[in-house]
Amino acid sequence: MKTVLTVDDSRTMREMLRRALGDGGFHVVQAEDGVHGLEVLGTCAPDVIVTDVNMPRMDGLTFIEEVRKDAERRAIPILVLTTESDAQKKARARAAGATGWIVKPFDPVKLVDAVNRVSA
């Protein structure tokens, strides 16, 4: 079973992600912001990361940059899941090392498809 780390400050969104990805056959590990996400990465090795952008303490784009600095975790696919559709933020996410960009609200089937695609 593949593991997905979801990073989102919204408890409701984390629960929606846990349900969608759990129903899709993934083990889901969760963090509430980028700082917590880095802490969780010290305890598990996810196959895919799904992160929000706008979060307290450390935003998703900085989180991606920090993950990409770590040689052991640099290759983990990272999907950005956000309400943002700003072209500059998308470009910054790509430059930081994001694998893909999904706009909220998300379709659970399409999210599971995207996670399967990047983790194949």
Side-chain angles (χ1 to χ4, degrees):
M1 178 179 283
K2 292 185 177 178
T3 299
V4 179
L5 168 61
T6 64
V7 184
D8 198 303
D9 60 322
S10 165
R11 179 181 291 177
T12 303
M13 184 55 64
R14 288 194 308 271
E15 180 58 25
M16 292 171 65
L17 289 167
R18 188 196 61 71
R19 261 194 243 137
L21 294 168
D23 289 349
F26 294 98
H27 172 67
V28 180
V29 180
Q30 299 187 316
E32 59 191 37
D33 59 35
V35 171
H36 189 212
L38 292 175
E39 292 169 1
V40 172
L41 279 174
T43 64
C44 74
D47 298 286
V48 178
I49 298 170
V50 177
T51 184
D52 189 12
V53 171
N54 298 313
M55 297 181 285
R57 300 200 303 164
M58 179 186 292
D59 67 49
L61 301 181
T62 304
F63 170 72
I64 294 169
E65 291 170 347
E66 292 299 315
V67 171
R68 295 302 185 222
K69 289 178 186 174
D70 183 338
E72 291 183 22
R73 293 172 178 81
R74 170 175 307 156
I76 299 171
I78 303 176
L79 296 172
V80 175
L81 179 65
T82 181
T83 56
E84 297 277 345
S85 58
D86 179 71
Q88 288 183 330
K89 283 202 176 180
K90 284 183 182 178
R92 183 170 170 224
R94 276 193 297 273
T99 308
W101 185 279
I102 299 169
V103 177
K104 294 176 186 173
F106 68 90
D107 177 324
V109 173
K110 289 182 180 176
L111 175 66
V112 169
D113 287 347
V115 170
N116 274 319
R117 195 171 39 255
V118 299
S119 66

